[in-house]
């Protein structure tokens, strides 16, 4: 069921000769000598972190799963299910696993909506997937580092929730606002999510 | 002319007892033991980096300054003038300095439009200012790590450029798209930028 997707390029890639100067729990720090426009060089620094997935999960009766997530030491936030791609894990396998863990839903079909590197100073890819035909097969099973509640909403409610400035996934908010400004795009998005 | 602005809070603050485990050129890495919901603890990690400013600079004849910036090893990008707040520097002093360095323009009046912490895993504040009545007093003076060209655009052109998905400042793009969806907000934005 899973296929390998291409990793998006960074706008400012870490060169091959860069040195890893620190390895933490989540972040690695790389440094390298970067030639400047006048021929001098300067030490540049950039981070690397595990890639993440975001999932627009649509149930078999055409509802979209929105979650409210609480993490220790952080205000609760409303957004999409998702999480980190583990070391050595295929991206689509991470989508299937994260959706199962966070919501208890099982994916029928996956489609890549978007893959970007959002921050130029961090080597970090974010993959957004549309997962359709999702069916519930058990409760969610999150670890002690998360508390998650879910709600099922229809397409119009989804558009309103994802338009709010409190919504956690800013790239999706951008996409939704662009669709609101362009009826053709909104129809395409609705078809992608609802007609399957 | 400058006043002290309040720094926006992080959604997931680094606690006081966190330890700095790495100090790089741009980034510092902090770690701490975070109690989880089940009473166990886990080591959490978060970064700190210098705050930055973004400037919507409006000239005395009501044009907005858009820049195209090239940095070594990075594709050129279209966005707003701006840069890092130096250690010990007031935020508004950084606005005045960055605008002068990057564009050669001098600020007459400053107004804070927005201050946020965009990324929950990085302690990093971004301040967006509207600078009106700007006058040119010399050429730009950027260092060997940047190449900058500038263009002066009217309000409608500004709205179009800042709406593009290639525009570098995603938070401003969001604000512009929201204004496009809400005529009252668009009028307010236009008055803020043009009626001074």
């Amino acid at each position: 069921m899973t296929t390998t997707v291409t990793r998006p390029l960074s706008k400012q890639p870490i060169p091959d000769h860069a040195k890893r100067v620190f390895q933490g729990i989540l972040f690695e720090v790389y440094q390298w000598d970067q030639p400047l426009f006048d021929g001098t060089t300067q030490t540049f620094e950039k981070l690397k972190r595990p890639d993440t997935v975001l999932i627009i999960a649509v149930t078999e009766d055409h509802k979209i799963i929105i979650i409210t997530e609480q993490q220790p030491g952080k205000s609760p936030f409303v957004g999409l299910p998702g999480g980190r791609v583990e070391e050595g894990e295929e991206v689509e396998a991470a989508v299937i696993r994260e959706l199962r863990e966070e919501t208890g839903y099982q994916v029928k079909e996956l489609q890549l909506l978007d893959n970007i590197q959002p921050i130029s100073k961090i080597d970090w890819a974010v993959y957004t997937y549309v997962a359709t035909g999702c069916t519930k097969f058990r409760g969610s099973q999150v670890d002690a580092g998360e508390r998650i509640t879910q709600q099922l909403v229809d397409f119009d409610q989804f558009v309103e929730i994802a338009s709010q400035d409190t919504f956690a996934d800013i790239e999706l908010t951008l996409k939704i606002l662009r669709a609101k400004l362009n009826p053709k795009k909104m129809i395409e998005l609705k078809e992608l999510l609802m007609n399957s």
Side-chain angles (χ1 to χ4, degrees), chain A:
Chain A
M1 164 159 185
T2 67
T3 54
T4 305
V5 291
T6 309
R7 193 165 184 269
L9 294 175
S10 165
K11 285 167 215 146
Q12 191 168 33
I14 298 174
D16 291 339
H17 65 275
K19 270 187 205 146
R20 186 171 69 191
V21 294
F22 178 78
Q23 179 172 24
I25 296 163
L26 184 64
F27 291 100
E28 297 170 300
V29 184
Y30 288 82
Q31 291 179 349
W32 69 93
D33 287 332
Q34 174 70 49
L36 302 185
F37 294 124
D38 64 355
T40 62
T41 63
Q42 194 182 324
T43 305
F44 270 34
E45 188 173 273
K46 182 162 167 163
L47 305 163
K48 202 169 180 169
R49 61 151 290 167
D51 292 343
T52 52
V53 294
L54 287 172
I55 310 148
I56 304 177
V58 189
T59 64
E60 50 182 355
D61 54 349
H62 306 289
K63 300 287 185 192
I64 298 163
I65 306 174
I66 296 289
I67 62 166
T68 303
E69 184 168 346
Q70 208 182 339
Q71 289 175 8
K74 187 175 176 180
S75 331
F77 55 95
V78 174
L80 296 175
R84 291 179 210 164
V85 180
E86 309 278 357
E87 180 110 32
E89 188 180 35
E90 293 287 348
V91 175
E92 296 196 355
V95 170
I96 294 165
R97 178 184 52 72
E98 283 289 348
L99 188 68
R100 196 174 51 210
E101 287 174 6
E102 291 199 337
T103 69
Y105 276 83
Q106 189 157 334
V107 171
K108 190 171 153 210
E109 250 177 79
L110 279 184
Q111 230 176 310
L112 182 66
L113 182 66
D114 215 359
N115 60 353
I116 54 160
Q117 291 226 13
I119 311 282
S120 66
K121 288 280 176 214
I122 309 179
D123 186 348
W124 168 36
V126 181
Y127 301 85
T128 304
Y129 275 87
V130 174
T132 48
C134 296
T135 48
K136 184 106 180 175
F137 75 110
R138 65 145 193 244
S140 60
Q141 295 189 328
V142 298
D143 61 29
E146 308 174 300
R147 265 183 193 157
I148 292 178
T149 54
Q150 54 183 265
Q151 51 176 321
L152 298 177
V153 301
D154 66 23
F155 182 77
D156 291 344
Q157 290 169 314
F158 168 69
V159 164
E160 282 323 297
I161 292 169
S163 299
Q164 302 303 313
D165 57 10
T166 49
F167 193 72
D169 306 314
I170 188 172
E171 300 285 345
L172 181 64
T173 301
L174 267 181
K175 201 179 285 293
I176 297 287
L177 294 181
R178 289 190 198 288
K180 279 187 167 184
L181 288 161
N182 182 336
K184 194 166 155 272
K185 273 193 189 166
M186 187 60 88
I187 291 169
E188 282 169 13
L189 184 66
K190 189 166 182 176
E191 278 179 359
L192 179 68
L193 269 56
M194 296 293 132
N195 284 358
S196 43

